[in-house]
Amino acid sequence: MSDVASPGSKPGFSSDVMIQMTGVHKWFGEFHVLKDINLTVHKGERIVICGPSGSGKSTLIRCINRLEEHQKGRIVVDGTELTSDLKHIDTIRREVGIVFQQFNLFPHLTALENLSLALIWVRKMPKAKAEEIAMNYLDRVHIPEQAQKYPGQLSGGQQQRVAIARSLCMNPKIMMFDEPTSALDPEMIKEVLDVMVELAESGMTMIVVTHEMGFATAVANRVIFMDFGEIIEQNDPHNFFENPKSDRTKLFLSQILHH
Amino acid sequence: MAVVTGTGSDTRNPIARLWGNKKARSVIVQIVTMAVVFGVLALLYRNVVVNLAAIGKEFSFDFLNAPSAYDITFSPFIEYNSRSTHLRAAAVGILNTLLVASCGIVLATVMGFIMGVLRLSKNWLVNRTVYCFLEFTRNVPVLLHILFIHGLVVTQLPVPKQAMNFADSFFLTNRGFFFPAPVPEAGFWIVATVFAISVVFVIAFGRWAKKVQDETGRTYPVFWISTGAIVAATAVAFLAAGMPLSWEAPALKGFNFKGGVAIKPEFIALWLALSYYTSCFIAEIVRAGILAVSYGQTEAAYAVGLRPNRTLQLIIIPQALRVIVPPLASQYLNLTKNSSLAIAIGYMDVVATIGGISLMQTGKEMETMMIVMLTYLVFSLIIAGFMNWYNKKMALVER
Ligand SMILES: Nc1ncnc2c1ncn2[C@@H]1O[C@H](COP(=O)(O)OP(=O)(O)O)[C@@H](O)[C@H]1O
Ligand SMILES: [Mg+2]
């Protein structure tokens, strides 16, 4: 298995490479959150990132669409390098969707408006067309009947599916998920994971921060373990769970599999 | 359960039957409540009349038609002199209250929003400076602010003879602020009409732009086009009509300025003090409102590609306003009520006119106080009505 993906490839050279992070560092003040992150994500790859709380998983994926700014190293997304150039940031945000742990739906807009808003204001689409596209995506996450409801009227699982649809309807090439099921009641986790599995089956490039090991085994090509801001280990799911190499990985796995 | 249908199957007496009908019952309850309320009011009225009669007074509003026999120095809206009636004096007072309250609300809102946003600044100096000003101002009674500003205007500004002179048209003195009054001349109505038409046009344009966006997705810089259209159309009409507007500049006559528009020191002091005092509370409300919208909202908006200004317009402001408006309305009420402190510096508001001098001259405590209370009550109801309307319109739909 290609555990350390294509070590020789340079950023932007292979059209197959969707994300290339080279020597990325980030600090919050004095605190060194990300330490020398090197990561290559290929088209169609499905990567699961796990690790203890506070290890920098969220920060890592948030750097990819500039919700956080890295201070050292390079991040190239589909051939566009992330710099402070606003055009580049716009381009990259167009290609990368993100789903948050807390859903972050817009509470003053209906489910349908949550989806159509960016189509109208960013993609400059006619309202009717935007709503048609929005309806298609609500259909895809199996809640077309909730289109006219406000987020406050939906269950957690439904809200998270609207949030997924909101990202998807911008037609991104890469979807990132930051612990999408952690804020959900247990009985709602499945409906969200099901949608994510369907998305994976459709060939979407995905980076998923999650502790749902069942999902990782079923869907991921690669599992990455992070601790203290570093990528400690990465491997295909089978080898990752069966033969973890580092002691920290073993400790972490024993903790999450025993509760 | 007994179903009352009136088919005769109910054998109870007619009153019990009526009581069993939900609709009839609610009508009865309302009638009884109204009767009780009016009964109590009538009792109070009788009580007042009888007790006033016992000390030799009559309860009546006839005095309103008698000449007031006192001067009001500040009556910008209606003609008034000492031969005018008490009714007119009351009207002047009510209008003056309305004037200072509405000017105060506008300035307090502007200042409050600016300071509220500055309080969120990451710049330590800006943030702390505003914070200190807010804390100091809020914790000193508003009456002291009014007296302080009034004192400042009256003692620190020069007498009219040595007025601070700006371009021979604007004069700042301890007798007030004087500036030229616009005097419309023949043909001015053309300019006014063009202005009105351009406003109508701009409203229509806004609707049209919204429709175009819905249909084709195209967006226009509506704000700039609208502003430009109004300014340009009005300016062209103004020039074409031969500039039908002249200015009557204030000029020094004797000890004071005559002509132009005069803003009295009492008004300036009351207006400024009420405004900056209330703006401190508004600033905190605005700050809290913006903070109440979680940062996750901004991030979600950025993540779908919205730029910061659109995020503010479409995501942050609509949510923050829901939090801001209800307490904002109660600050407007406070400002309006605090304007009754006008009497401390001799600004002739409703309390100083009908509730002050008229009262002392006629001895009609009950009647004048009722007029004053009714005035504040009406203002309060209008503001509260607006607040309820807005809340209903904007309420978040929750489970
Ligand atoms: N905006 C921030 N300012 C300062 N510290 C932060 C900020 N965001 C996250 N951190 C810190 O960075 C570390 C990594 O956070 P995060 O990436 O959220 O971890 P994870 O998602 O793995 O739980 C944590 O110790 C967290 O407290
Ligand atoms: Mg996290």
Side-chain angles (χ1 to χ4, degrees):
Chain A
M1 245 355 250
S2 63
D3 54 6
V4 179
S6 47
S9 80
K10 293 209 181 85
F13 266 53
S14 156
S15 63
D16 195 25
V17 174
M18 292 303 283
I19 300 172
Q20 175 93 53
M21 300 177 87
T22 347
V24 171
H25 288 261
K26 172 161 184 66
W27 289 263
F28 282 123
E30 295 283 291
F31 181 54
H32 202 168
V33 213
L34 295 180
K35 300 168 187 160
D36 192 28
I37 300 292
N38 291 288
L39 176 68
T40 307
V41 181
H42 291 262
K43 195 159 190 283
E45 255 197 305
R46 299 176 296 275
I47 292 177
V48 161
I49 302 178
C50 62
S53 169
S55 56
K57 308 180 294 295
S58 301
T59 309
L60 171 67
I61 64 169
R62 290 155 56 84
C63 278
I64 294 174
N65 68 346
R66 246 316 146 102
L67 291 181
E68 301 287 359
E69 194 175 330
H70 63 285
Q71 281 123 11
K72 202 167 157 222
R74 297 185 72 190
I75 301 178
V76 180
V77 180
D78 198 23
T80 309
E81 175 160 8
L82 254 184
T83 58
S84 44
D85 187 337
L86 288 178
K87 286 241 164 57
H88 288 196
I89 295 176
D90 278 349
T91 310
I92 287 172
R93 284 183 178 160
R94 196 169 304 150
E95 314 220 319
V96 183
I98 186 166
V99 172
F100 303 91
Q101 183 176 353
Q102 301 297 339
F103 326 140
N104 292 353
L105 290 177
F106 307 129
H108 59 303
L109 302 176
T110 63
L112 191 71
E113 289 166 342
N114 263 277
L115 270 66
S116 63
L117 183 82
L119 293 173
I120 292 169
W121 289 99
V122 181
R123 292 281 196 274
K124 313 270 183 214
M125 273 185 196
K127 194 174 173 193
K129 188 164 165 230
E131 290 187 343
E132 188 190 319
I133 293 175
M135 260 335 272
N136 282 343
Y137 279 95
L138 284 179
D139 216 18
R140 210 166 138 184
V141 297
H142 316 301
I143 37 175
E145 72 283 358
Q146 311 290 355
Q148 298 307 330
K149 294 220 178 126
Y150 287 89
Q153 297 171 298
L154 301 175
S155 75
Q158 290 170 330
Q159 289 190 54
Q160 192 60 298
R161 284 186 283 154
V162 173
I164 294 173
R166 178 176 67 181
S167 280
L168 283 181
C169 73
M170 298 303 283
N171 204 13
K173 293 187 181 158
I174 302 158
M175 280 290 286
M176 309 195 294
F177 296 80
D178 190 0
E179 306 203 29
T181 55
S182 303
L184 296 177
D185 293 336
E187 73 271 19
M188 293 169 186
I189 291 178
K190 187 170 176 301
E191 66 189 52
V192 171
L193 288 181
D194 283 349
V195 167
M196 290 168 63
V197 170
E198 286 166 28
L199 190 62
E201 282 164 357
S202 76
M204 177 66 81
T205 310
M206 290 164 75
I207 302 179
V208 184
V209 176
T210 185
H211 292 161
E212 292 291 335
M213 290 309 145
F215 176 82
T217 318
V219 170
N221 318 84
R222 186 153 42 123
V223 182
I224 291 176
F225 174 68
M226 279 186 78
D227 202 2
F228 297 109
E230 289 173 297
I231 295 182
I232 304 290
E233 183 168 349
Q234 45 183 320
N235 217 327
D236 63 279
H238 177 77
N239 283 317
F240 181 85
F241 291 116
E242 299 306 319
N243 318 307
K245 295 194 189 78
S246 109
D247 290 340
R248 283 198 248 170
T249 317
K250 286 176 195 157
L251 179 66
F252 174 74
L253 287 176
S254 73
Q255 279 164 350
I256 61 163
L257 298 177
H258 282 136
H259 75 240
Chain B
M1 214 184 93
V3 180
V4 183
T5 53
T7 52
S9 61
D10 196 332
T11 52
R12 291 175 299 173
N13 70 41
I15 291 180
R17 217 158 52 200
L18 210 55
W19 193 246
N21 184 325
K22 214 171 170 189
K23 210 163 179 186
R25 189 168 59 206
S26 101
V27 171
I28 294 171
V29 168
Q30 287 186 38
I31 291 174
V32 170
T33 314
M34 288 291 272
V36 169
V37 168
F38 278 106
V40 170
L41 283 180
L43 199 70
L44 282 176
Y45 176 74
R46 204 193 131 267
N47 219 357
V48 166
V49 173
V50 168
N51 284 326
L52 282 179
I55 55 171
K57 281 182 174 177
E58 182 197 7
F59 183 78
S60 117
F61 286 94
D62 293 344
F63 75 97
L64 285 175
N65 292 321
S68 65
Y70 64 89
D71 270 323
I72 299 178
T73 51
F74 187 67
S75 174
F77 299 110
I78 52 181
E79 283 296 321
Y80 177 89
N81 59 45
S82 57
R83 286 183 306 281
S84 305
T85 60
H86 285 292
L87 184 63
R88 207 158 242 267
V92 171
I94 289 171
L95 286 174
N96 282 351
T97 293
L98 198 58
L99 177 71
V100 77
S102 36
C103 290
I105 283 173
V106 171
L107 185 60
T109 308
V110 172
M111 286 177 69
F113 271 73
I114 292 174
M115 288 200 293
V117 171
L118 288 183
R119 273 284 274 131
L120 292 168
S121 160
K122 289 200 179 82
N123 183 323
W124 188 87
L125 191 65
V126 171
N127 189 326
R128 286 289 109 175
T129 311
V130 177
Y131 174 73
C132 290
F133 175 74
L134 294 184
E135 279 305 310
F136 172 76
T137 309
R138 288 201 302 174
N139 290 303
V140 172
V142 61
L143 178 60
L144 296 187
H145 288 298
I146 295 171
L147 293 174
F148 171 70
I149 296 290
H150 187 245
L152 216 57
V153 171
V154 171
T155 64
Q156 296 304 307
L157 290 180
V159 296
K161 280 211 150 118
Q162 286 132 31
M164 292 164 83
N165 181 338
F166 304 95
D168 274 338
S169 316
F170 301 85
F171 301 95
L172 202 52
T173 77
N174 66 357
R175 298 284 201 90
F177 177 47
F178 301 84
F179 57 89
V183 182
E185 285 169 5
F188 187 76
W189 65 271
I190 300 176
V191 182
T193 314
V194 167
F195 175 77
I197 291 174
S198 64
V199 168
V200 171
F201 165 80
V202 158
I203 293 170
F205 171 72
R207 295 233 173 117
W208 176 82
K210 176 91 180 57
K211 208 167 130 238
V212 167
Q213 188 185 5
D214 284 355
E215 278 163 12
T216 69
R218 228 150 26 120
T219 50
Y220 294 94
V222 173
F223 176 79
W224 296 113
I225 293 181
S226 304
T227 318
I230 293 180
V231 170
T234 313
V236 168
F238 185 70
L239 293 176
M243 301 201 253
L245 189 70
S246 63
W247 297 92
E248 184 203 73
L252 193 60
K253 294 242 171 69
F255 289 114
N256 206 349
F257 283 91
K258 288 267 156 30
V261 181
I263 301 194
K264 295 275 169 194
E266 298 85 35
F267 175 81
I268 296 176
L270 188 65
W271 175 50
L272 291 183
L274 285 176
S275 301
Y276 76 69
Y277 177 77
T278 311
S279 75
C280 294
F281 294 89
I282 294 178
E284 286 300 295
I285 291 168
V286 168
R287 185 175 83 99
I290 294 175
L291 287 180
V293 182
S294 81
Y295 191 63
Q297 292 288 309
T298 306
E299 294 191 329
Y302 286 176
V304 290
L306 288 169
R307 285 278 183 86
N309 53 350
R310 287 283 184 224
T311 302
L312 205 62
Q313 172 202 345
L314 299 169
I315 306 297
I316 309 298
I317 289 176
Q319 291 185 58
L321 277 186
R322 286 156 212 264
V323 183
I324 290 172
V325 165
L328 190 62
S330 69
Q331 287 307 323
Y332 290 173
L333 288 178
N334 280 348
L335 188 147
T336 308
K337 289 183 284 187
N338 284 340
S339 75
S340 61
L341 292 168
I343 199 164
I345 53 170
Y347 177 75
M348 298 303 270
D349 74 335
V350 67
V351 176
T353 55
I354 188 80
I357 306 179
S358 289
L359 185 159
M360 281 185 276
Q361 294 194 350
T362 61
K364 296 280 187 189
E365 297 93 351
M366 202 69 197
E367 295 85 340
T368 53
M369 277 306 134
M370 279 173 75
I371 293 173
V372 172
M373 283 162 73
L374 195 69
T375 305
Y376 286 110
L377 187 67
V378 168
F379 290 168
S380 299
L381 286 178
I382 290 171
I383 294 172
F386 166 76
M387 174 178 105
N388 285 345
W389 168 81
Y390 185 88
N391 272 352
K392 222 175 235 153
K393 189 161 159 254
M394 290 300 181
L396 270 192
V397 182
E398 300 279 358
R399 248 189 299 180

